[in-house]
């Protein structure tokens, strides 16, 4: 039955490509989460009127974030080739896509984190201070938990963008569904392979969205 | 217990300087409920935030138990703040935490073990009357319930002082009364000193022992609540006292009764404390050959006893009338002959 609709699809290849896309997505989402939270916290905390007010560090962080957000992803991959080669030891395969994915999406997520943190009621932070809370208590027990719904929905949006990025990375040799669609589908003109890859990517996106939505709901 | 000396706060913005608190000196006694009243922008919030140094003073000192808060290093200040509870107009609860976990938060900060936290939290939940609401989130509570959580949280580390910034201003009158009653019972039961900021005179009337009136950063008047009520000195204070006494607004309705005749006077009586319960009117009517008409009256309970106002018309022969008025004054009741404005 599947063979009728997708005559050129090799199930083993499709499965392998799906796994690669999943690996790339999951690991880069984790990396993006960490980088984004660190940068977002820095942006927020060093801003005027906040806990670690420091206009120099704020300027540095903001510049870093703005620059890497401005670079188109496809160019970022090329730009990071030497860095990737040094870090991963190769520029081929799904592992090699990770630095570009994380550095591309991290700054984007950092801005979403910053927005989420800004939404936290100043009064709540003040209440924590009035109880004698230390900075790290305020960060980990007030700021992050209070902005959790925004952090999660931001991560969902970023994660979905990341799935798109993995497909782009695939075209220039990172493996995964993007690679399969390009090499087996586009170059050989086997349209059914492209279709199969598209369906799988859509399924992954939906799963991602579902997890994100579910986490936000169970948070309250 | 708390000595505040020459406390000042100057805000410098790009365009202007604002002297939010201007050279305030006050002594607050152990176990009293001290009210600070003033109109919006008078500097009340800034003042109370200077006490636990959420705001750095430009000048002056706040000494609590012989320790100058304004000179404490950061880590010592954090420890001290655990002993200064604070409640807020908008409650400022953590939305991501349940009632239980909100109240446990200051205990986590203080580093108590989980078992000790549990014991204390349950005790506090009981104290503020929220049993059964442990697992509710703030978004599921009414304003009054939220403020109860705020109070429980502020009391968690057994503070010496409780700072209340407009703690009832977001609540309806009935809920306000409930919260005020709770504060009084806590004050009595725990001997807790309370500093309470408000712009509503009836809050002062209902629970404070002493009051300071603030206007553009300065304390313009301070004293026992009853004294301030009966003999307000400054214009601002007079306006606040009028808030409480709706009769003052209707004074002109009395003008028909006020005349230039010698045998009839309109008199305003203030009853203070226990004297408010004396049957003064019938006493005077029995003792003197006068006729008394009661025109208007009101009574307001305070922490130091009731405070009442009564407007009466008194008719009689001139000398008897004078004697009757003198007698009333002798009993300690404030009697004031009302003339045409
Ligand atoms: N962070 C700040 N920067 C500059 N000016 C400030 C700041 N905070 C307060 N002010 C000013 O200080 C004055 C006193 O403000 P404050 O909030 O203490 O008044 P308040 O008596 O509490 O008023 P309300 O009843 O409206 O709460 C106001 O003129 C206000 O604009
Ligand atoms: Mg205020």
């Amino acid at each position: 039955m599947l063979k009728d609709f997708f005559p050129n699809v090799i199930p083993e290849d499709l499965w392998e490509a799906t796994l690669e896309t999943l690996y790339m997505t999951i690991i880069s989402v984790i990396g993006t989460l960490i980088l984004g939270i660190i940068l977002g916290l820095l942006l927020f905390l060093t801003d005027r009127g906040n806990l670690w007010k420091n206009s120099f560090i704020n300027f540095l962080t903001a510049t870093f974030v703005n620059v890497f957000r401005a670079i188109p992803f496809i160019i970022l991959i090329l730009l990071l080739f030497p860095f990737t080669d040094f870090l991963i030891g190769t520029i081929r395969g799904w592992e090699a896509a990770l630095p570009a994915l994380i550095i591309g999406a991290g700054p984007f997520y950092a801005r979403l984190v910053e927005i989420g943190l800004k939404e936290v009621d100043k009064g709540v932070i003040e209440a924590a201070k009035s109880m004698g809370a230390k900075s790290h208590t305020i960060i980990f027990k007030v700021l992050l938990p209070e902005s959790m719904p925004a952090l999660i929905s931001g991560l969902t949006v970023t994660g979905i963008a990341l799935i798109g990025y993995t497909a782009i990375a695939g075209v220039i040799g990172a493996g995964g569904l993007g690679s399969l669609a390009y090499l087996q589908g586009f170059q050989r003109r086997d349209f059914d392979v492209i279709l199969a890859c598209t369906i799988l990517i859509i399924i992954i996106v939906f799963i991602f969205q579902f997890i994100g939505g579910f986490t936000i709901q169970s948070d309250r | 217990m708390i000595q505040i000396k020459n406390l000042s706060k100057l805000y410098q913005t790009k365009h202007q300087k604002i002297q939010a608190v201007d050279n305030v000196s006050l002594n607050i006694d152990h176990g009293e409920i001290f009210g600070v009243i003033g109109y919006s922008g008078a500097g009340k919030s800034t003042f109370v935030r200077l006490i636990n140094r959420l705001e750095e003073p430009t000048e002056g000192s706040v000494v609590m138990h012989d320790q100058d808060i304004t000179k404490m290093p950061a880590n010592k200040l954090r420890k001290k703040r655990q002993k200064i509870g604070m409640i807020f107009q908008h409650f400022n609860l953590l939305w991501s935490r349940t009632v239980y976990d909100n109240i446990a938060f200051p205990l986590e900060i203080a580093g108590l073990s989980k078992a000790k936290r549990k014991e204390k939290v349950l005790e506090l939940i009981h104290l503020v009357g929220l049993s059964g609401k442990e697992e509710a989130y703030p978004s599921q509570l009414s304003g009054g319930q939220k403020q109860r959580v705020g109070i429980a949280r502020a009391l968690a580390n057994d503070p010496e002082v409780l700072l209340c910034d407009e703690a009832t201003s977001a609540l309806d009158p009935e809920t306000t009364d409930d919260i005020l009653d709770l504060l009084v019972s806590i004050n009595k039961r725990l001997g807790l000193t309370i500093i309470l900021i408000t712009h509503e005179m009836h809050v002062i009337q209902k629970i404070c022992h002493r009051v300071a009136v603030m206007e553009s950063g300065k304390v313009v008047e301070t004293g026992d609540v009853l004294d301030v009520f009966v003999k307000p000195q400054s214009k601002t204070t007079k306006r606040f006292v009028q808030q409480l006494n709706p009769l003052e607004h209707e004074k002109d309705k009395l003008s028909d009764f006020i005349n230039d005749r010698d045998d009839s006077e309109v008199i305003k009586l203030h009853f203070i404390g226990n004297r408010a319960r004396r049957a003064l009117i019938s006493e005077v009517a029995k003792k003197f050959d006068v006729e008394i008409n009661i025109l208007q009256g009101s009574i307001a309970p305070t922490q130091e006893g009731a405070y009442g106002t009564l407007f009466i018309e008194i008719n009689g022969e001139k000398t008897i009338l004078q004697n009757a008025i003198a007698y009333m004054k002798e009993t300690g009741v404030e009697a004031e002959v009302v003339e045409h404005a």
Side-chain angles (χ1 to χ4, degrees):
Chain A
M1 154 78 176
L2 263 183
K3 271 269 167 254
D4 297 338
F5 281 110
F6 303 102
N8 303 306
V9 171
I10 305 161
E12 291 76 27
D13 286 2
L14 191 65
W15 177 239
E16 194 182 333
T18 307
L19 282 183
E20 280 174 357
T21 295
L22 277 177
Y23 290 149
M24 264 192 281
T25 309
I26 291 170
I27 296 179
S28 62
V29 162
I30 293 170
T32 301
L33 176 68
I34 295 167
L35 182 64
I37 296 248
I38 292 173
L39 291 176
L41 274 173
L42 269 179
L43 282 173
F44 175 78
L45 293 171
T46 58
D47 201 3
R48 258 176 292 129
N50 272 320
L51 241 49
W52 298 340
K53 181 183 160 325
N54 184 326
S55 39
F56 180 66
I57 295 183
N58 191 264
F59 173 77
L60 277 189
T61 319
T63 309
F64 177 85
V65 164
N66 291 341
V67 164
F68 280 94
R69 270 183 64 190
I71 304 174
F73 182 66
I74 183 86
I75 295 178
L76 186 67
I77 301 180
L78 304 177
L79 192 71
L80 286 180
F81 267 170
F83 176 68
T84 305
D85 200 10
F86 166 76
L87 203 70
I88 314 277
T90 173
I91 56 163
R92 303 211 69 81
W94 66 268
E95 294 96 336
L98 294 177
L101 287 171
I102 293 169
I103 293 174
F108 174 73
Y109 185 51
R111 283 291 181 200
L112 298 182
V113 170
E114 188 197 9
I115 291 169
L117 294 173
K118 276 186 176 162
E119 292 285 302
V120 175
D121 188 355
K122 286 264 182 295
V124 178
I125 299 169
E126 192 162 291
K129 279 191 198 165
S130 81
M131 292 176 226
K134 294 190 177 122
S135 294
H136 77 87
T137 312
I138 293 178
I139 293 169
F140 291 105
K141 292 200 164 182
V142 180
L143 283 173
L144 294 179
E146 286 290 293
S147 57
M148 197 53 81
L151 298 187
I152 294 171
S153 69
L155 191 66
T156 312
V157 171
T158 313
I160 289 164
L162 268 170
I163 296 170
Y165 286 174
T166 64
I168 300 176
V171 174
I172 58 166
L177 289 165
S179 176
L180 190 71
Y182 181 68
L183 296 176
Q184 287 189 21
F186 179 72
Q187 289 192 336
R188 295 191 207 153
R189 295 292 183 270
D190 289 337
F191 192 74
D192 60 327
V193 177
I194 301 183
L195 191 64
C197 291
T198 311
I199 292 171
L200 278 165
I201 285 185
I202 291 175
I203 292 174
I204 294 176
V205 169
F206 279 9
I207 292 174
F208 217 84
Q209 221 149 22
F210 176 77
I211 296 173
F214 181 78
T215 325
I216 290 180
Q217 287 214 322
S218 65
D219 192 56
R220 255 308 117 83
Chain B
M1 175 198 169
I2 306 172
Q3 285 99 32
I4 295 161
K5 232 193 208 148
N6 305 111
L7 200 60
S8 294
K9 175 72 189 183
L10 180 73
Y11 285 115
Q12 303 244 25
T13 61
K14 270 196 195 107
H15 308 289
Q16 56 181 337
K17 291 179 180 180
I18 299 164
Q19 189 74 50
V21 172
D22 193 355
N23 202 14
V24 169
S25 299
L26 286 172
N27 282 324
I28 291 157
D29 298 330
H30 181 81
E32 79 172 327
I33 306 184
F34 191 95
V36 177
I37 191 166
Y39 288 107
S40 188
K44 311 177 296 287
S45 296
T46 310
F47 169 72
V48 79
R49 292 156 51 84
L50 288 171
I51 295 177
N52 63 356
R53 239 173 95 189
L54 283 176
E55 213 72 67
E56 288 293 335
T58 358
E59 250 179 86
S61 62
V62 177
V63 177
M64 209 179 281
H65 288 311
D66 300 323
Q67 288 174 303
D68 190 345
I69 289 179
T70 50
K71 295 203 172 57
M72 280 183 186
N75 57 340
K76 231 177 135 198
L77 176 66
R78 278 200 300 269
K79 274 262 173 282
K80 187 73 189 173
R81 278 180 180 165
Q82 294 176 7
K83 293 287 171 196
I84 307 176
M86 189 166 192
I87 57 177
F88 305 86
Q89 176 173 4
H90 299 293
F91 325 119
N92 297 352
L93 304 177
L94 284 95
W95 293 89
S96 57
R97 285 179 172 234
T98 59
V99 167
Y100 182 100
D101 288 332
N102 261 290
I103 301 173
F105 186 42
L107 300 168
E108 288 169 27
I109 292 172
L112 261 69
S113 71
K114 205 172 171 189
K116 285 218 173 106
R117 290 206 296 262
K118 181 166 184 186
E119 187 186 333
K120 188 76 197 180
V121 171
L122 293 179
E123 179 193 322
L124 286 162
I125 287 182
H126 182 72
L127 177 77
V128 299
L130 280 178
S131 302
K133 290 277 177 204
E134 290 84 355
E135 295 311 314
Y137 283 92
S139 56
Q140 300 164 330
L141 299 179
S142 72
Q145 290 169 332
K146 282 183 203 147
Q147 197 56 290
R148 284 169 191 273
V149 179
I151 292 171
R153 184 176 71 172
L155 296 178
N157 284 317
D158 302 313
E160 296 149 358
V161 193
L162 183 63
L163 308 175
C164 313
D165 189 0
E166 307 267 10
T168 58
S169 300
L171 305 174
D172 64 56
E174 224 162 281
T175 318
T176 294
D177 281 351
D178 291 346
I179 295 292
L180 294 178
D181 289 341
L182 177 63
L183 288 177
V184 171
S185 85
I186 288 164
N187 164 259
K188 292 215 171 99
R189 206 174 331 168
L190 310 177
L192 186 70
T193 310
I194 299 179
I195 300 179
L196 184 144
I197 307 295
T198 183
H199 62 266
E200 293 168 312
M201 201 61 186
H202 80 267
V203 172
I204 302 278
Q205 168 237 312
K206 196 157 188 280
I207 77 166
C208 293
H209 303 115
R210 286 199 300 148
V211 61
V213 182
M214 271 188 93
E215 195 186 341
S216 44
K218 291 193 183 70
V219 168
V220 290
E221 193 162 347
T222 163
D224 290 346
V225 168
L226 271 177
D227 291 345
V228 171
F229 272 8
V230 178
K231 289 181 206 139
Q233 304 295 320
S234 76
K235 215 171 176 174
T236 315
T237 317
K238 280 180 187 152
R239 276 172 69 197
F240 275 121
V241 173
Q242 275 181 20
Q243 260 186 22
L244 259 195
N245 192 349
L247 300 185
E248 292 286 332
H249 298 297
E250 296 177 11
K251 232 178 183 169
D252 30 329
K253 285 191 190 156
L254 293 173
S255 60
D256 288 348
F257 296 94
I258 303 172
N259 55 49
D260 296 329
R261 298 207 320 262
D262 282 342
D263 59 350
S264 167
E265 299 284 8
V266 171
I267 294 174
K268 179 183 174 186
L269 298 168
H270 292 288
F271 297 88
I272 306 156
N274 294 330
R275 286 170 234 135
R277 298 220 189 90
R278 253 182 86 169
L280 181 72
I281 301 298
S282 63
E283 237 174 74
V284 172
K286 273 181 202 154
K287 267 202 163 79
F288 299 92
D289 184 18
V290 290
E291 251 175 48
I292 298 174
N293 292 325
I294 292 172
L295 302 175
Q296 287 179 334
S298 75
I299 192 155
T302 76
Q303 284 301 303
E304 304 293 335
Y307 157 68
T309 317
L310 191 64
F311 285 94
I312 58 171
E313 184 194 31
I314 176 165
N315 301 313
E317 201 230 315
K318 187 181 171 190
T319 44
I320 300 178
L321 206 61
Q322 295 308 328
N323 289 342
I325 295 170
Y327 175 79
M328 285 191 268
K329 285 186 177 165
E330 252 170 52
T331 60
V333 171
E334 291 279 323
E336 177 189 328
V337 177
V338 182
E339 313 272 358
H340 272 295

